Amino acid sequence: MTPPPTRRRRSDSNGAVPVHNLPRRGAVRRAQAITTYGVGSLIAVDHESFIVSGLDEAERSWSRDESPRIHERRLARLLDVDCFRLPPASDDTSRDGLRVRRFPLTHSCPECGDLQRHRDFNPPPGRSVCGSCEVDLVPSRFVVACEAGHLGEFPYWQWVHRSKERGASPAAQCGGKLKLRTSGRTSSLRSILVSCTCGQAPEVSMEGSFRRNALKDLGLTCRGTRPWLGTSVATQECGLPLRTLQRGSSAVWQPVLKSALSIPPWSDGRADPLAEHWDALREYDESAHVEIYLKGVFKGKPPVPLDEVMALLAAEREEDPDGETAPTFDHRYRALRNKEYERLRAGNDESEHTRDEQFVCETPLGDQSVLDPLGVASPMLVKKLREVRALKAFTRLVDAESTTDSKEMPLSERPLRWLPAMEVRGEGVFLRLHEDRLDAWEKAPAVAARIERMRSAHQRVLEQRADDPSHVVPSPATPRMVLLHTLAHILVNEWSLEAGYPAASLRERLYAADDMAGVLIYTATSDSAGSLGGLVAQGEPEVLARTVRSAVRRAEWCSSDPLCMETEASGAGGINLAACHACVMLPETSCEHNNILLDRALIIGTPDKPELGFFSNLEDR
């Protein structure tokens, strides 16, 4: 998605000019600053290209009015920060916004064919045109990146001269000037031709530049460049292999997002004033010591009563992973999900609601026995929920869901006590599967064998992407996880058809473990498809029973069958089985796992093995 075109910066309501009167180069929505155009990503505005700057200067440049703080203690503790902040607004009256830097710096002129750095074209101030031809410059279509997250310019000079020398500048080696043109014969890389006026090398095409070892064969490795942090940041030799990428490729930037639901006792906002003090408060076990600390910090007027502070500390300690002296990030994230699962199962009735309560989860009034033949248990109507999604880091080339911390690139050079985040307020439906029936189903040999194929393929992909095979993240593929994941997808597709919700406006949240078997489907946007009550109405037992039956019936057939159902492997790396874009796949914004680990056969079975399907014995399908 391309942001709106450039607009001139306006002064504020008092006519004052911002401290840094930087030119405005476009606008993005706040949510896009987390999911699409976050720190380190490339953003195209008209015919120009920029990279979103790091957060080192954001504490000073982001206005507190336009970039307010967000508090979610459970997620802040997981990510080891004090709070979160909304990205600044990008409307006409905003005083500042996201800072960007020009990248790539290599541009070409379609008129004279020169290929050089942007400043060497001598463009007029504020414009990106060739100083000689008065034609709009074209940013380089190609960049290079490594799996550690570094990003750099494509080495056109080395590509033309096929030189293995490093360290000297191109001008010092040949004295020529690079030229770029297209033959116009095809739209392939073969038609993009680069040459040098030195005459020492023939004109070459860009064909072959995307080979995995194309730059390694030239003796080039990553130099550790981080253009989003500015040219003043000292680079350190990285040494990893470089890969050529298209500037607009999704592999150039993938966000590492972590999220949490606001659940009691943290969901009424009363604990927000204590956001920066929880680490200190956790050091005290006795209420008398906590009281002394609060009176000292807040000058005798604590914003939260002592008994509530002690209750919050007790609730926080309940989320500590059991038996873990030094819990890993995955252990702490699993403990966070466990507590959400418990709260979604228990709910909170009307007597617990307050005016500021951000989590309302109630049991439907209808007869739940109609769901027993389906194997669905205890749906809950989440009439009000708040989710905070934070941008923890980003990756390049590797899948953010399967990476390790060593391949995650931080958002700033110096550690910060906050992260950019967005909050979503909406509604949802939570449902579980019958544990007894689920236990019997997942122990079937045919089910275990089918899941093992998926798990092995996924584990193989994870090992290929890992630096150290001994520290590979284990695949989460289990029978109940794949079943719940596929069930969530067919329900989202069903509600998008029957209830009028766009599929991209709904999102899944899976709770799959030995002691969990639930799925929450909720509104993922806060716009017109947000909290209007339509999704909650789908959770009433009679309506939900009809929806599940209809979704299962619809999953029996795919326009790509029999190929889809009988395939031995599908998707990248063969991680899916019976799943494609014609049946169960969803928009990327709706899926927690990037549309992997899906199998329609676990819902309905296969023609030769109907017992594979958890819902294969439904009557009147």
Side-chain angles (χ1 to χ4, degrees), residues 28 137 202 242 264 309 325 363 385 401 465 482 525 566 575 592:
V28 297
L137 297 175
L242 287 170
V309 175
T325 56
T363 304
L385 66 80
E401 292 295 327
R465 295 172 176 170
V482 178
T525 60
E566 297 178 359
I575 301 174
E592 273 197 309

Side-chain angles (χ1 to χ4, degrees), residues 41 56 79 167 182 202 247 250 261 396 426 456 539 552 584:
S41 66
D56 293 289
L79 300 176
T182 58
R247 177 162 46 90
S250 60
L261 301 181
R396 305 195 196 278
S456 299
V552 171
V584 300

Side-chain angles (χ1 to χ4, degrees), residues 257-280:
L257 297 174
K258 298 299 177 183
S259 65
L261 301 181
S262 295
I263 60 175
W266 307 94
S267 53
D268 57 6
R270 290 173 56 84
D272 293 352
L274 303 177
E276 299 178 1
H277 304 282
W278 287 114
D279 290 339

